[in-house]
Amino acid sequence: MLDSIKKWLGLGDDRNYIEEYLFRSNMRAVVYMSVIVILLEIWMIARLTRIVIISWPRSFEWLFSHYRNYVILLSAAVVALIYAIRFLRGKTANRMLGKGILWLFSFICIVFGIQTGVASYAGGEQVLSFITMVVFVFCILYWRPLQSFLFSSLTFTAFYFMIDAVKPATEATQINLLTLWISTFMIAMSAYHQKVSEAEKAEGIEASNRHLAEINDQDDLTSLPNVKWFRRTCTAMMLSSAVDRNSRIFLFFDVERFKACNEKYGYKRGDELLQQIAGILKDVFSDDPIARVSDDHFVAFAAEETAPGKVYEARERVAALDPLVRLDLKTGGCIPAMSGNDVGLAISRARTACSILKRQYIRFYQEYDSELEARLKRREHIINTIDTAVKNGWIKVFYQPVVKCAGGNGELVGLEALARWDDPEYGLLPPYQFIETLEEYREIHKLDQCIIEQVCQHLREDIDQGRKVVPVSLNFSRHDFDLYDVPKFLHSMTEKYSLPGSLLDVEITESALTDHLKELQINMAHLRQDHFSMWLDDFGSGYSSLNVLKDFSFDVLKIDMMFLRNFNEKSVPIVTMIVSLAKQLNMVTLCEGVETEDQFRFLQSIGCDKAQGFYFSKPLPREEILKKYLA
Ligand code: C2E
Ligand code: MG
Ligand code: MG
């Protein structure tokens, strides 16, 4: 009850929002009213000037007393107008100054109204100018009830005594003035309450809009903002002069092995883990905008200087969430300059950089830079032009000699066919620049079939020309066996070129022997029937080495070049043991990557059957092989 009376009297504290709302309303009113005053005063000054010109000359006192009020009112209106426009355009927020100007302007209006009103009354005219000014001030000041009571009472009392002193007010004038005072006061009260209720409604609408926007901007599962919010916030940050966008970086996070978690524990636990990961990221990047994009993907816009430390910390904490699965947080980065300041593009580039880290166990951060851009461009080129490359003969076979080691002295006993991509734009590309990409996009069979056919053509040509012929080993990708029927294709090639199977060796890398083992064993059995020799390539480079020897039977074991590259006293017993183990399993041994005479002598001494490496020859184009070895 007491509260509502206080509220009605405008004695309670107005909330900031309402204060601000009323002040803005006042400022808008000031714009209209000051323009009216300015026009009115210019007109009055012009009128007066005309009188001055007609009845020239006039004394200085006359000029001063007649012009003074118009000029003061005009100046006050101009100052108030300038301030109100600046405030409404957001150029100033000094409310104290604004209030001061408002009150001063109102005060000048009232004094002017009283003075002119009294003069009119003394001249026997209506007190209209007084009434006009009261209404006028009422328009620019939404009076609070107490203020309006005091302000209007003072004004009316002062006015009453002034006119009464000039000429005693009649009862009619007294009643008229009293009625006007009460009406002014009541209208001011009603205007105040109307404005307050408008402000309350507007506040409510704004609050619910804000709430709706928040819900709209939030990711349901993790309560982090979503990417829509992230784009908007980062775009605003990049446009803001308060933020140095060149010292920031966009980060894209991907949680590797999260799928394994989902499969292992089910979706409920998966969701919990996502919430925990979101919590870690929110905590680590507490000063930066961060959002969930989808699934196990998140983005942040962090300060470049502190980003590496934060990325490292987040990765450690995410890995500790489940020691069994060891989730691996991979992060891609993109600075705004690499994306033309386009947030969407920056996210997508940071994501691309992140995707490069897939299945790389040690690396966890990659930035999108011009080198990566060039690499990706080349990758795209490889994928888009593999068919053209095959058709136009850009795929070339280089041959590397395989020589006799133990029981011989480097005599040629075979050749390994190694692919090269002779690109009109990029030049001669080595396998590491296209094999992985072709494997990733499951297009590797196109290249391998092309190599196989060329090798068969060359062998046929050599036989026909009566040249020396040695077996050629062919490299197969693990995807080849999924993508086409390898035994059938090799069979058809040997038939087409009338070649014995014994001239072709099939190299399969150890890493190919990880899945579809049964199918691979069946394929190998078929290949054996056609007398192709089976070679295990890069032995020792993977993890499953010894098991592989148990489960598969190979004719030749190619010892990976890593053993010779980091050659030390420990390598001697290891390589010796591998050679002797292979012998016990009835396999021929071939050591790759022989670069020095010492290495070759060592391999001879331990009974390694064959050797291959730069010490004998690098891979060479067919013409050079013909000249040097097969002439
Ligand atoms: P790989 O089958 O183990 O081939 C041996 C690689 O070692 C060749 O690299 C060869 O140039 C290099 N190499 C030989 N001797 C030495 C040496 O003494 N020192 C050093 N540092 N390197 C030596 P290249 O030709 O770059 O081939 C790389 C890999 O690409 C091959 O490894 C093979 O896995 C793959 N590859 C090559 N051609 C084909 C192909 O036609 N099809 C498939 N699927 N993969 C291929
Ligand atoms: Mg090989
Ligand atoms: Mg190898």
Side-chain angles (χ1 to χ4, degrees), residues 400 416-420 430-432 435 439 444 447-448 451 475-477 480 507 509 537-538 558 561 565 592-595 612-615 617 619:
Q400 188 179 31
E416 179 173 10
L418 294 159
R420 298 289 180 268
Y432 78 88
I435 297 279
E439 284 185 338
I444 187 70
L447 176 117
D448 282 344
I451 294 285
N475 288 287
F476 285 86
S477 157
D480 278 310
E507 286 194 18
T509 51
D537 200 359
D538 299 342
K558 277 188 100 170
M561 65 183 75
R565 190 169 297 161
E592 294 188 85
V594 180
E595 292 186 353
Q612 184 184 345
F614 292 171
Y615 175 61
S617 169

Side-chain angles (χ1 to χ4, degrees), residues 521 536 539 544-554 585 587:
Q521 276 165 337
L536 178 58
F539 178 78
S544 54
S545 310
L546 295 174
N547 264 338
V548 161
L549 297 182
K550 182 169 68 64
D551 297 337
F552 292 86
S553 51
F554 285 98
L585 295 168
M587 283 191 271

Side-chain angles (χ1 to χ4, degrees), residues 231-242:
R231 274 169 194 260
R232 215 173 47 236
T233 308
C234 295
T235 306
M237 277 174 82
M238 297 224 281
L239 292 174
S240 157
S241 53

Side-chain angles (χ1 to χ4, degrees), residues 404-433:
K404 206 164 171 44
C405 186
N409 203 12
E411 300 83 3
L412 182 79
V413 287
L415 292 169
E416 179 173 10
L418 294 159
R420 298 289 180 268
W421 181 304
D422 193 4
D423 194 274
E425 193 181 328
Y426 289 95
L428 196 69
L429 301 174
Y432 78 88
Q433 293 193 344

Side-chain angles (χ1 to χ4, degrees), residues 309-321:
K310 290 182 175 180
V311 165
Y312 184 81
E313 186 193 335
R315 183 180 189 239
E316 292 287 297
R317 286 175 60 180
V318 168
L321 282 178

Side-chain angles (χ1 to χ4, degrees), residues 1-253:
M1 177 74 177
L2 195 72
D3 274 353
S4 28
I5 293 172
K6 268 171 84 176
K7 196 177 168 198
W8 189 79
L9 289 173
L11 290 175
D13 277 343
D14 277 337
R15 285 194 303 281
N16 274 352
Y17 185 90
I18 294 174
E19 275 288 327
E20 180 71 29
Y21 189 90
L22 294 180
F23 189 70
R24 285 192 86 77
S25 300
N26 282 351
M27 283 302 142
R28 274 195 300 272
V30 166
V31 172
Y32 308 130
M33 303 320 279
S34 58
V35 167
I36 294 171
V37 171
I38 289 168
L39 292 176
L40 215 79
E41 295 316 296
I42 289 174
W43 181 60
M44 297 299 281
I45 290 170
R47 256 186 70 218
L48 192 65
T49 308
R50 195 174 144 264
I51 295 169
V52 172
I53 294 168
I54 291 169
S55 53
W56 189 261
R58 288 279 182 181
S59 71
F60 176 74
E61 285 75 27
W62 189 94
L63 287 174
F64 179 75
S65 68
H66 281 74
Y67 273 107
R68 187 192 54 209
N69 282 0
Y70 299 144
V71 173
I72 290 175
L73 202 54
L74 178 68
S75 311
V78 169
V79 170
L81 179 67
I82 291 171
Y83 177 84
I85 290 176
R86 280 175 60 78
F87 178 84
L88 292 171
R89 286 193 170 174
K91 298 257 160 63
T92 178
N94 189 340
R95 296 236 315 249
M96 283 301 284
L97 177 71
K99 278 195 172 164
I101 291 174
L102 205 66
W103 280 99
L104 187 70
F105 183 34
S106 305
F107 179 75
I108 291 170
C109 288
I110 287 292
V111 170
F112 179 83
I114 292 175
Q115 217 180 39
T116 321
V118 172
S120 307
Y121 180 78
E125 287 177 30
Q126 305 270 347
V127 291
L128 264 178
S129 52
F130 171 70
I131 296 168
T132 312
M133 283 303 164
V134 168
V135 172
F136 189 85
V137 168
F138 158 73
C139 286
I140 54 176
L141 280 177
Y142 287 109
W143 296 344
R144 312 309 193 248
L146 196 64
Q147 282 171 15
S148 74
F149 176 75
L150 290 173
F151 198 80
S152 57
S153 303
L154 265 169
T155 306
F156 279 84
T157 313
F159 184 70
Y160 175 77
F161 282 113
M162 281 170 85
I163 55 168
D164 200 49
V166 174
K167 193 168 76 179
T170 60
E171 201 180 326
T173 304
Q174 285 172 357
I175 291 171
N176 280 344
L177 267 181
L178 188 69
T179 316
L180 184 62
W181 170 67
I182 293 171
S183 323
T184 308
F185 172 64
M186 294 312 288
I187 293 169
M189 288 281 284
S190 143
Y192 168 75
H193 285 290
Q194 200 182 330
K195 278 283 153 193
V196 168
S197 91
E198 258 174 41
E200 279 170 350
K201 267 187 210 147
E203 189 182 22
I205 290 169
E206 260 183 41
S208 55
N209 277 348
R210 249 195 328 271
H211 183 61
L212 273 179
E214 256 167 35
I215 293 172
N216 218 6
D217 282 344
Q218 209 176 52
D219 169 55
D220 289 342
L221 179 68
T222 61
S223 301
L224 278 186
N226 59 22
V227 79
K228 226 166 75 192
W229 172 90
F230 185 78
R231 274 169 194 260
R232 215 173 47 236
T233 308
C234 295
T235 306
M237 277 174 82
M238 297 224 281
L239 292 174
S240 157
S241 53
V243 179
D244 176 14
R245 62 173 175 234
N246 292 325
S247 68
R248 295 207 150 241
I249 185 161
F250 286 94
L251 300 172
F252 183 93
F253 305 96

